[in-house]
Each structure stands twice: as C-alpha cells, then as structure tokens.
Amino acid sequence: MSTACHIAGLGVSVPENTLSNFDLEKIMDTSDEWIVTRTGIKNRHVLKDDENISQYAAEACKKAMAEANVSPSQITHLLVATCSPETLSPSTACILAEKLGLSKYTGLPFISENNPSLVCFDFNAACSGFVYGLELSRAFLALNKNAVILLVTAECLSRRMNYKDRTTSVLFGDGAGAAVIRAEGEYLFKILDVSVGADGDFKDLIRIGGGTDKKVQVGDTIGEDYFLSMQGREVFKHAVRGMAQESIKLLDKNSLSVNDIDLFIAHQANLRIIEAVGERLNIPQDKVFTNLEKYGNTSASSIVLAMAEAKEKGLLKKGQKTLLTAFGAGLTWGSALLG
Ligand code: UT7
C-alpha cells in the first residue's frame, strides 16, 4: 500500500504591481480586444524593479504553514518549482530557506543527530512544475512517511519577457504558491494519484536562454535569446492534446470517468486551450475553474493560484474529486487527482 499524501495547507502571493492589457497597448502594437479574444487574459501581476519573487514565495509559504498548523522547524523538504530562478546558483529554494528561517534550526555543525536535515532544491518542469511537485512529494513520502514537505512555485517570467515580441510577452505574469504536503494529520485534500510525462524532442518550442550553453564575457550585450520565446501555435496544439490525453490516462487508471469529476483546474495559459481540453474531455463548463484573466500565465504557479481561489470561493472542497492538469516547456505535462 502506498503512503498517504495530503495537502494540509495552501498559500499564494502575487506582486501588488499590475500590468493590464491597456498598459500593454501603450508599449506595443496590441489591443485589449486581441488579447482578451485570443487568450482570455486581462491583467497580470508583475514584480517592481526592486522586488524579487522569493519575497512573495515566502509569503505564500507562511500562509500555507499557518493553515497546516506547521512551524518552520517541522519542515523536512523545501521543493521549489521554477523556470525563472533568482540565480543559477544558489537555488531559489535555499534563498527561501534563509528567508523563512528554516536554515537557522539546522545551525552548526551542519550535521548533528539533534538537527534534522533539510532537503532543499529547485526543479524545473516549467508550467507543469506544481503537478511534477505533487509526484515528487509522493516519492519523498514513500521514502519517509514523516516528511513534512513545503512544495513551492515561484515564477517571475515578467523578468524574461521580450516586449518586442507581442505574441508571447502579453501572456505571462508573476506569482508564487505553496502547499504543505504530509501523510498524517488534518488535511484539506487527499492526493489520490498523479501522472506526469515529458518529450525532449520538442525542447525548442518554448525556450528561455541565459544559461551556460553560450559563452559570454563580462560586458557582453544581452541578446534576444535571453528572453522567453515560444512557437505559440505549435504549443497550443500539443497543450490541448497533452493535457487531455494525460487526464484520460489518469482517470482510466483510477477506474473513474469524467462524470466522477466535480472540478477541473487546468494550467492557466490560454482560455481557448482550457476550453478545448474541457471539450475533448467532455467536462461541463460549470465544472471548469479559471482565473487567468487576473494573472495571465504564471507558469508553475498558475494551478496553485487557481486552487487557492477556487477553495476560497467554496468550489474546491475536501472529498470532492478534482482533476488538475498542466503543460509546459520541455515539453512537460502532467495530471493529478485530488479527493
Ligand atoms: O505555458 C506554456 C504553454 N503555453 C501556451 O500554452 C501558449 C500556447 N499558444 C497560445 O496561447 C497562442 O498560440 C497565442 C496566444 C500565443 C497566439 O494566439 P494565436 O491565435 O495562435 O495567434 P497567432 O500567433 O497565430 O497570430 C494571429 C495574428 C497574427 O496576425 P496575422 O499574421 O494574422 O495578420 C499576429 O501577428 O495575430 C497577430 N498578433 C497580435 N495582434 C495584436 C499576435 N500577437 C498579437 C498581439 N496583439 N499581442
């Protein structure tokens, strides 16, 4: 029998600063009408110049820990899903550990019988990050049923938008989310099953440069490849197919049908994609939750932002069957079932 896996607390935090379609109209050749019709997005939250995403991730973590009634000293794993880390090294997870005071209890010496160690790292599954994180959490709980996992999403793609590329730069916003995941104790939602996949053959469809693949020198000018580029139409097709197929696979594996699903939350990339996946799955519109009009595509954070709002509105409830599905760069994808 596999170890139980529960979400015991959920928290989100987004920058106060916003960028509306009307703001974008002032800096590029676009219109509110085009963006709303093609994507459903009206607004995004974006970092101010002197802000960083870990400060918002820390807020999200504090909310999730408070809801789960867990103190920082109880956290055994801090896993950060991000494709927009603050630095290549250290990880955003280690930056966040310091902000949350998780490192303090470890103290010196680093390894001591009295001080439980902290597993702390970033992982990049792009927009599928939260669903991948649920799968990682299940794996860590199978290794140690006493683990108390803080699964975090911290994304600030506004920092990698090329505002000369109007097709892609209107889509993304910033935001952070966190979930406390553990096996025992009070909980909000049970993670019933997760299924993830990837195909590197499509690695070039969505790309953010600025890594070590190119030799650069101090003083070099940043080129276009430093920013997010995407072959939108191609990604659109794969996203619809990928999320629908993975969801059907997961339902079949759990002997469930679409009729058993009470709520459907897909990665908030484009309203037309979500509607197309809903149609393929035959899910009635009133079971499909969206909030991308307020945030745009926040990559790994989008599902957590949607879950938190659906929970707040009384739409996401303990015991009801919720289907999550995500798709992103890599290509990566995944679906999860909550109950
Ligand atoms: O999170 C990772 C997953 N990402 C996604 O799922 C995104 C997937 N792709 C998409 O959501 C859509 O493909 C986009 C929203 C990126 C683009 O929508 P589209 O319906 O595929 O538009 P398009 O790129 O085919 O462009 C249609 C027209 C073009 O004009 P012409 O050539 O038909 O005259 C574009 O130049 O719309 C024009 N256009 C714009 N017009 C005003 C493109 N961007 C804009 C814009 N404002 N921002």
Side-chain angles (χ1 to χ4, degrees):
M1 201 181 78
S2 63
T3 313
C5 190
H6 298 140
I7 297 180
L10 210 57
V12 292
S13 181
V14 295
E16 260 179 46
N17 187 40
T18 56
L19 184 67
S20 70
N21 292 351
F22 300 105
D23 295 327
L24 287 168
E25 281 181 356
K26 290 177 199 148
I27 58 169
M28 66 177 74
D29 179 17
T30 190
S31 66
D32 174 60
E33 198 263 331
W34 189 94
I35 302 172
V36 172
T37 315
R38 296 290 177 131
T39 73
I41 300 166
K42 294 181 180 164
N43 193 43
R44 321 122 191 90
H45 291 250
V46 298
L47 293 176
K48 282 194 208 146
D49 290 356
D50 60 350
E51 292 182 321
N52 49 52
I53 197 63
S54 62
Q55 71 190 78
Y56 291 98
E59 282 310 309
C61 290
K62 285 176 193 163
K63 289 181 194 169
M65 286 191 288
E67 185 164 53
N69 203 14
V70 158
S71 67
S73 64
Q74 290 173 274
I75 300 297
T76 58
H77 296 65
L78 176 57
L79 317 177
V80 177
T82 183
C83 62
S84 49
E86 285 193 4
T87 49
L88 282 181
S89 188
S91 65
T92 302
C94 282
I95 294 170
L96 195 52
E98 190 271 336
K99 278 201 162 90
L100 292 169
L102 299 193
S103 316
K104 283 193 191 112
Y105 80 97
T106 311
L108 283 171
F110 292 124
I111 300 164
S112 138
E113 278 182 24
N114 300 324
N115 293 327
S117 56
L118 178 70
V119 177
C120 188
F121 65 95
D122 288 0
F123 63 98
N124 178 352
C127 303
S128 313
F130 186 70
V131 177
Y132 263 69
L134 294 178
E135 181 74 330
L136 268 180
S137 301
R138 289 188 340 142
F140 278 122
L141 278 166
L143 290 169
N144 170 12
K145 70 177 174 38
N146 297 316
V148 182
I149 300 166
L150 199 46
L151 171 62
V152 184
T153 62
E155 298 280 30
C156 51
L157 285 165
S158 71
R159 291 270 158 93
R160 291 305 180 93
M161 285 300 104
N162 172 4
Y163 289 104
K164 290 189 176 140
D165 170 4
R166 65 176 180 169
T167 312
T168 304
S169 62
V170 299
L171 303 175
F172 292 88
D174 305 337
V180 173
I181 299 176
R182 64 184 177 198
E184 310 286 342
E186 289 287 305
Y187 66 88
L188 301 171
F189 315 112
K190 188 189 264 285
I191 300 163
L192 301 173
D193 203 0
V194 184
S195 180
V196 297
D199 192 340
D201 284 357
F202 298 98
K203 65 182 177 9
D204 296 324
L205 291 185
I206 311 175
R207 201 174 180 283
I208 310 173
T212 57
D213 61 335
K214 266 203 179 151
K215 188 167 182 207
V216 285
Q217 307 278 2
V218 174
D220 282 357
T221 312
I222 292 167
E224 274 194 349
D225 72 317
Y226 185 84
F227 298 92
L228 192 151
S229 60
M230 176 165 68
Q231 295 174 41
R233 276 193 196 178
E234 272 304 293
V235 174
F236 193 114
K237 284 188 278 182
H238 289 293
V240 173
R241 205 177 305 139
M243 287 193 278
Q245 279 177 1
E246 199 64 33
S247 297
I248 289 166
K249 195 170 108 187
L250 189 65
L251 290 172
D252 285 351
K253 188 178 157 217
N254 286 276
S255 308
L256 292 171
S257 84
V258 166
N259 293 336
D260 298 311
I261 298 302
D262 300 298
L263 190 67
F264 176 62
I265 299 181
H267 169 48
Q268 305 286 296
N270 184 323
L271 193 57
R272 290 190 294 139
I273 294 178
I274 299 171
E275 285 170 354
V277 177
E279 268 168 39
R280 279 197 183 207
L281 293 176
N282 226 355
I283 292 186
Q285 276 304 312
D286 61 342
K287 290 187 176 178
V288 180
F289 184 81
T290 62
N291 66 355
L292 81 170
E293 69 277 8
K294 294 187 225 172
Y295 303 109
N297 180 345
T298 55
S299 189
S301 295
S302 89
I303 285 190
V304 205
L305 284 171
M307 282 175 70
E309 189 172 325
K311 173 175 159 278
E312 184 89 16
K313 290 184 166 157
L315 299 168
L316 174 58
K317 290 182 280 207
K318 185 175 184 172
Q320 68 171 17
K321 294 229 166 19
T322 300
L323 177 63
L324 309 177
T325 189
F327 193 89
L331 294 173
T332 58
W333 59 85
S335 296
L337 266 173
L338 306 183

